[in-house]
Amino acid sequence: MEDKYYPLSSLAIGEKGIVKKLTSNDLMRRRLLDLGLINNTIVEALHKSPFGDPVAFLIRGAVIALRSEVASMILIEKINVEEE
Amino acid sequence: MGLSNASSGINILQEELKIEKTTAEDRIVALGGNPNVGKSTVFNSLTGLNQHTGNWPGKTVTNAYGSYKYKGRNFILVDIPGTYSLMANSVDEEVARDFICFGEPHTTVIVVDATCLERNLNLVLQTLEITSNVILCVNLMDEAKRKNIHINLKKLSHELGIPVVGTSAVKAIGLSNLMEEIYNISYGRFKLSPMSIRYSEEIEKAISMIENKVRAINQSKLSSRWISLKLLDGDLNLINSIDKYLDFDLSKEKNIVKEVERAKNYLKSMGIDRDSIRDIIVTNLISISERISKKVVTIENNGYKSLDRKIDNLLTSKKFGIPIMVLLLMIVFWITIRGANIPSEILARGFSFIERNLSLFFQWLKAPAWIHDVLVLGIFRTLSWVVSVMLPPMAIFFPMFTLLEDLGYLPRVAFNLDNFFKKSYACGKQALTMCMGFGCNAAGVIGCRIIDSPRERIIAIITNSFVPCNGRFPIFIAVISTFFVNFIKGTFQSLVLALILTSVIVLGVFMTLLVSKILSMTILKGLASSFTLELPPYRKPQLGRIIVRSILDRTLFVLGRAVVVAIPAGLIIWLMANIYLGDSNILTYTANFLNPLAKLIGLDGYILLAFLLGFPANEIVIPILLMSYMATGSLIELNSLAELKGVLIANGWTWVTGLSVMLFSLMHWPCATTCLTIRKETQSLKWTLVSFIIPAVAGFSLCFLVVNLIRLFSLL
């Protein structure tokens, strides 16, 4: 099943995804959970910083910037925008 | 003896924080909440100027408490750190949790952001697991209204089983309701029955297995259920805190340890391994938040964030993000430079009027001339220099800076620059501490507390003085005006001045990144820790509040410490200029000694000496220099730039000297206050020395390189 998942960092601006798995452990995992990144949370890529990294995401109503290494630890399922 | 709160009636945490009750009837109220929800506005509005600030015992976390009176009773409000969670993932979270658990507040108020309720509820639920006496303060109700977000406070109160008060703290709306609820709850006028947070059947069973054993020994006010949950979660940090504050080591209770093991094994048999217990707990809390939020929040049109989005798309865009940032910086400097001139002159005139009268007063007293000279020409004149040179730019710069802060722009600066910091293996929040450094490096060093990773925090502390503080601006401005923009006239002149000043700062930022990278590859080896940065919604700033806050908190604070160092500095400088060894005074004597070294880097002995004597405060570098050049024996101020230039050129200055002075001013040792602050923040002499030496070495090397390259080229 997991090969259907993409890292959050692969999300293009304006695209949305549903969180399916966190691959980080310990402290980083807890931080991500505290941000509300539990399973089935919808995340939207909002905008990139001037140099492309970090990227700002809309997570449960808050705008959070994540560096690419962090975003790649969050596995998501892409939401098809047309379907929505 | 079981797990109990100290029977002596003295609470260790309250004792350590030096919280003094005036009577036993005083009530202690903890004030918590997420960052950026206006918690400090609530705190300031309730307590006014009745505040004490300090550090949490043994931690570099700022602590503030204050008191207010309501219905004849005294309430002590403790401002606990703003956090998203109480699971002790950071020092702030640990401090916040410890106060709620062990500080024995009668009531805990959690402030949340009405525009972002769902996210904030997580903290509320975590607090409810610990204590029942919780009041929810839904702040920023006006912002929410503007964004068409409606919150059914009654329903929310019903769901949570606690009082809920809506406020707009900046407009002081809802605060009397809040005080009324605090009064009611603190004096037990209502018994609250908050919602109980239930977990899945398996977890509940595991909790109850442990809870029985915990209840048998628990005589403290902590909930046995919550302690059991934390034991199941394997929260060692809490167990340590219980040991510290309640003097009871749970890990030595064989009964309990055995039961925890049994519960964990039971969960394992149900397919829940140790590592996923935390995930299940957090997921449950967030799901409950989501459910409650869906019930009570209605958003009329979905595009409520559309304006913020548009602004962000501009301010952080690839094309305009960086240029706008540099432009804003330039505008701030330009306004500061233009605006400070006139008040500076008025202050200087006022001081010289006072000085003349002081002199007359001493003559009238028939005091010996040397007493007059030491006190008036030495101490008073240095003091008036510092105040008239520093106060106006600070009084203009700090409010503008606070304005950008209030608007929510600073996190965007960190967002824009993060990529550079990542490449230097440092934390993006370092950009924020650098911004604070513009005002005062000591303040910047304290600001480094926002950086969680100890390695990255030390890097930010060491490199903070590469950003020039307010006290160094006069040096740049004097040099740029005399040597680099003197051929330009009118308004355009101050624009070019601001442009050159901005370039100097950009160089400082570049050096910060370079040194951070070198540190990361040598003595502070390590990779960048993963960091997350919240970009809070843009907020309408409150002008009146900004002015009051920046003048009271920042300007007067910085000025106060400058005055404190200026007094002894004035004395020492006066003595050096007036005690003669043979033909020359100590000042000249020392300058001659330093001259060969200074020449190497394009300065002269007097300039280097001025920087050395300026160690207490950078503001006095230029006046000391002029004093030694003019051999007046006391500080002087020249009335026009032409005069200043005349003196400098007569003493062998060229534009190369000017350039060197600017570079050296950007990079030498941090001032005495900053050094002391570094010592306090790092608790280490070693890092203080490193912070002292690194910018000095960088300054010497760069000046040497630049000056000798220029010399080489002009010889060719």
Side-chain angles (χ1 to χ4, degrees):
Chain A
M1 280 297 279
E2 264 183 41
D3 44 298
K4 264 178 57 192
Y5 300 155
Y6 299 88
L8 182 60
S9 46
S10 69
L11 216 56
I13 297 306
E15 277 188 323
K16 288 182 186 174
I18 303 178
V19 175
K20 287 296 171 190
K21 193 176 161 56
L22 302 179
T23 60
S24 57
N25 279 318
D26 303 332
L27 192 61
M28 197 60 220
R29 184 184 190 86
R30 294 186 200 174
R31 289 238 171 95
L32 295 177
L33 288 173
D34 281 342
L35 292 176
L37 287 165
I38 59 168
N39 269 358
N40 298 323
T41 303
I42 297 176
V43 178
E44 181 185 347
L46 288 181
H47 50 262
K48 288 182 179 177
S49 63
F51 301 96
D53 183 27
V55 174
F57 296 94
L58 185 63
I59 302 167
R60 295 186 180 269
V63 182
I64 311 282
L66 300 176
R67 283 182 181 172
S68 57
E69 316 88 81
V70 180
S72 64
M73 291 190 255
I74 303 162
L75 297 184
I76 52 148
E77 205 169 66
K78 285 192 186 177
I79 300 179
N80 203 324
V81 182
E82 279 98 298
E83 261 176 44
E84 205 190 8
Chain B
M1 216 199 98
L3 176 59
S4 71
N5 293 33
S7 51
S8 57
I10 297 167
N11 179 292
I12 306 174
L13 201 50
Q14 287 178 18
E15 182 97 315
E16 281 182 342
L17 289 171
K18 300 192 177 66
I19 293 176
E20 279 170 26
K21 292 188 189 175
T22 49
T23 67
E25 281 300 288
D26 285 8
R27 288 294 180 256
I28 292 185
V29 182
L31 186 70
N34 286 13
N36 300 312
V37 295
K39 187 164 73 75
S40 50
T41 316
V42 173
F43 180 71
N44 290 333
S45 309
L46 288 184
T47 60
L49 292 173
N50 255 328
Q51 297 181 3
H52 308 260
T53 49
N55 272 2
W56 289 90
K59 302 266 163 45
T60 48
V61 174
T62 317
N63 134 264
Y65 66 93
S67 60
Y68 68 88
K69 286 222 181 308
Y70 184 75
K71 292 195 171 168
R73 308 285 186 151
N74 197 34
F75 293 85
I76 298 170
L77 198 60
V78 181
D79 191 15
I80 62 178
T83 60
Y84 296 111
S85 154
L86 295 174
M87 297 202 181
N89 295 334
S90 69
V91 185
D92 278 1
E93 290 178 16
E94 185 189 320
V95 165
R97 182 207 61 196
D98 280 355
F99 191 79
I100 296 174
C101 288
F102 309 109
E104 290 181 32
H106 295 95
T107 306
T108 300
V109 177
I110 301 291
V111 186
V112 297
D113 179 351
T115 67
C116 202
L117 186 70
E118 184 187 327
R119 165 134 207 249
N120 287 230
L121 280 178
N122 184 14
L123 181 73
V124 181
L125 297 179
Q126 288 189 34
T127 314
L128 281 176
E129 286 194 302
I130 302 174
T131 162
S132 323
N133 284 356
V134 180
I135 297 169
L136 182 62
C137 168
V138 183
N139 193 28
L140 303 169
M141 287 298 279
D142 48 342
E143 294 266 341
K145 198 175 168 193
R146 235 195 343 265
K147 289 179 172 169
N148 289 317
I149 301 169
H150 294 278
I151 298 175
N152 188 335
L153 297 176
K154 233 181 190 162
K155 210 168 179 182
L156 183 57
S157 171
H158 181 75
E159 286 288 328
L160 295 168
I162 55 171
V164 172
V165 183
T167 60
S168 302
V170 285
K171 293 178 188 154
I173 296 171
L175 293 176
S176 49
N177 286 345
L178 181 62
M179 286 191 281
E180 176 70 22
E181 291 297 355
I182 294 175
Y183 171 79
N184 288 338
I185 304 305
S186 299
Y187 286 98
R189 290 162 64 95
F190 298 122
K191 189 89 191 106
L192 295 178
S193 51
M195 70 177 289
S196 74
I197 293 152
R198 312 302 295 180
Y199 293 86
S200 64
E201 215 173 292
E202 298 85 5
I203 300 269
E204 283 299 332
K205 189 170 173 205
I207 293 174
S208 61
M209 286 163 79
I210 305 170
E211 197 181 347
N212 287 331
K213 303 282 179 211
V214 172
R215 186 169 295 128
I217 56 152
N218 184 14
Q219 292 158 20
S220 75
K221 286 175 187 157
L222 292 178
S223 131
S224 298
R225 176 184 160 83
W226 182 68
I227 296 176
S228 311
L229 181 69
K230 293 283 129 178
L231 285 169
L232 199 59
D233 180 16
D235 190 342
L236 292 175
N237 187 300
L238 176 72
I239 293 168
N240 287 336
S241 286
I242 288 180
D243 189 22
K244 181 173 164 198
Y245 295 108
L246 302 181
D247 198 20
F248 193 84
D249 192 350
L250 278 169
S251 65
K252 284 191 184 133
E253 282 301 296
K254 288 207 181 77
N255 260 344
I256 291 179
V257 174
K258 218 167 79 194
E259 209 51 45
V260 172
E261 257 334 279
R262 216 165 67 85
K264 282 184 178 173
N265 286 336
Y266 159 74
L267 284 179
K268 205 171 179 186
S269 71
M270 303 302 287
I272 300 170
D273 62 35
R274 280 150 202 259
D275 296 335
S276 51
I277 297 174
R278 169 71 64 103
D279 280 27
I280 292 173
I281 294 173
V282 177
T283 304
N284 188 42
L285 292 173
I286 293 171
S287 307
I288 297 174
S289 306
E290 196 179 333
R291 185 175 56 74
I292 296 177
S293 163
K294 270 200 185 119
K295 277 191 195 164
V296 301
V297 182
T298 40
I299 299 166
E300 268 179 12
N301 60 359
N302 235 345
Y304 71 96
K305 284 228 156 94
S306 64
L307 182 63
D308 277 16
R309 261 189 219 203
K310 275 182 197 147
I311 299 174
D312 269 339
N313 280 336
L314 181 70
L315 292 184
T316 65
S317 68
K318 197 170 179 171
K319 260 193 203 151
F320 300 110
I322 302 284
I324 288 177
M325 207 176 71
V326 175
L327 195 71
L328 271 174
L329 190 69
M330 234 183 90
I331 293 172
V332 167
F333 289 143
W334 184 67
I335 297 176
T336 306
I337 295 165
R338 288 284 291 183
N341 276 338
I342 297 164
S344 256
E345 261 169 49
I346 295 172
L347 276 174
R349 252 181 245 149
F351 277 119
S352 69
F353 173 78
I354 298 174
E355 191 190 303
R356 276 196 304 278
N357 285 298
L358 273 177
S359 295
L360 290 176
F361 176 69
F362 275 94
Q363 277 172 20
W364 177 79
L365 275 182
K366 299 206 176 13
W370 67 270
I371 290 191
H372 164 263
D373 289 0
V374 169
L375 292 180
V376 179
L377 302 184
I379 293 174
F380 181 79
R381 205 173 265 188
T382 312
L383 192 70
S384 52
W385 238 101
V386 170
V387 174
S388 56
V389 172
M390 270 182 85
L391 181 61
M394 282 195 315
I396 298 170
F397 179 86
F398 281 131
M400 280 198 289
F401 180 75
T402 315
L403 176 73
L404 288 179
E405 206 179 11
D406 263 32
L407 278 167
Y409 182 65
L410 295 190
R412 271 75 187 181
V413 171
F415 181 62
N416 283 342
L417 292 177
D418 180 61
N419 201 261
F420 293 124
F421 287 97
K422 182 176 150 184
K423 284 181 179 145
S424 302
Y425 307 112
C427 178
K429 288 182 191 160
Q430 199 175 327
L432 298 178
T433 64
M434 281 166 54
C435 290
M436 291 182 223
F438 282 130
C440 165
N441 290 125
V445 167
I446 295 175
C448 293
R449 292 172 177 188
I450 57 171
I451 298 171
D452 288 327
S453 142
R455 186 188 72 86
E456 290 166 4
R457 201 172 136 239
I458 298 273
I459 290 180
I461 289 177
I462 293 175
T463 53
N464 196 272
S465 67
F466 282 103
V467 176
C469 64
N470 250 289
R472 285 185 265 170
F473 285 178
I475 307 177
F476 296 123
I477 295 167
V479 172
I480 298 171
S481 333
T482 32
F483 288 97
F484 298 95
V485 295
N486 50 331
F487 50 91
I488 305 166
K489 294 274 167 284
T491 314
F492 203 56
Q493 188 181 37
S494 50
L495 264 177
V496 178
L497 206 164
L499 182 70
I500 298 178
L501 185 56
T502 308
S503 327
V504 173
I505 299 220
V506 171
L507 175 68
V509 174
F510 173 78
M511 288 303 295
T512 303
L513 291 164
L514 183 70
V515 172
S516 300
K517 178 144 195 174
I518 294 172
L519 287 171
S520 292
M521 295 194 310
T522 54
I523 51 172
L524 281 160
K525 242 182 214 145
L527 292 174
S529 75
S530 328
F531 101 120
T532 58
L533 174 77
E534 178 166 13
L535 303 177
Y538 290 102
R539 300 243 153 88
K540 212 172 103 189
Q542 304 291 318
L543 287 177
R545 201 167 275 275
I546 284 177
I547 291 170
V548 171
R549 224 176 71 210
S550 53
I551 301 275
L552 283 182
D553 291 2
R554 294 190 160 132
T555 311
L556 289 186
F557 169 76
V558 176
L559 192 71
R561 67 122 190 128
V563 166
V564 170
V565 294
I567 291 171
L571 182 67
I572 292 171
I573 295 160
W574 186 88
L575 289 176
M576 286 185 78
N578 288 281
I579 296 178
Y580 281 79
L581 297 171
D583 281 345
S584 51
N585 56 21
I586 301 183
L587 209 63
T588 312
Y589 203 79
T590 325
N592 286 339
F593 173 76
L594 290 171
N595 206 35
L597 176 66
K599 285 284 181 207
L600 274 181
I601 54 170
L603 308 176
D604 66 33
Y606 286 105
I607 305 173
L608 190 55
L609 180 61
F611 275 110
L612 281 170
L613 290 176
F615 179 58
N618 282 295
E619 296 75 13
I620 52 179
V621 170
I622 292 266
I624 297 173
L625 182 62
L626 291 177
M627 181 176 91
S628 11
Y629 279 156
M630 311 276 287
T632 53
S634 48
L635 297 184
I636 54 150
E637 183 168 21
L638 296 165
N639 296 322
S640 75
L641 280 175
E643 270 181 66
L644 176 67
K645 193 176 184 186
V647 174
L648 296 180
I649 286 178
N651 282 281
W653 278 51
T654 62
W655 67 273
V656 184
T657 322
L659 184 65
S660 252
V661 168
M662 286 207 290
L663 289 178
F664 199 70
S665 171
L666 181 67
M667 290 170 274
H668 58 293
W669 38 86
C671 74
T673 316
T674 307
C675 286
L676 286 174
T677 310
I678 295 174
R679 174 84 177 86
K680 221 167 131 192
E681 292 294 303
T682 59
Q683 297 288 323
S684 140
L685 193 62
K686 179 185 146 198
W687 292 126
T688 314
L689 285 175
V690 170
S691 313
F692 184 91
I693 291 166
I694 284 183
V697 170
F700 267 103
S701 323
L702 199 68
C703 284
F704 180 80
L705 206 71
V706 168
V707 167
N708 286 293
L709 276 178
I710 293 172
R711 280 179 191 154
L712 200 65
F713 274 107
S714 47
L715 279 181
L716 286 178

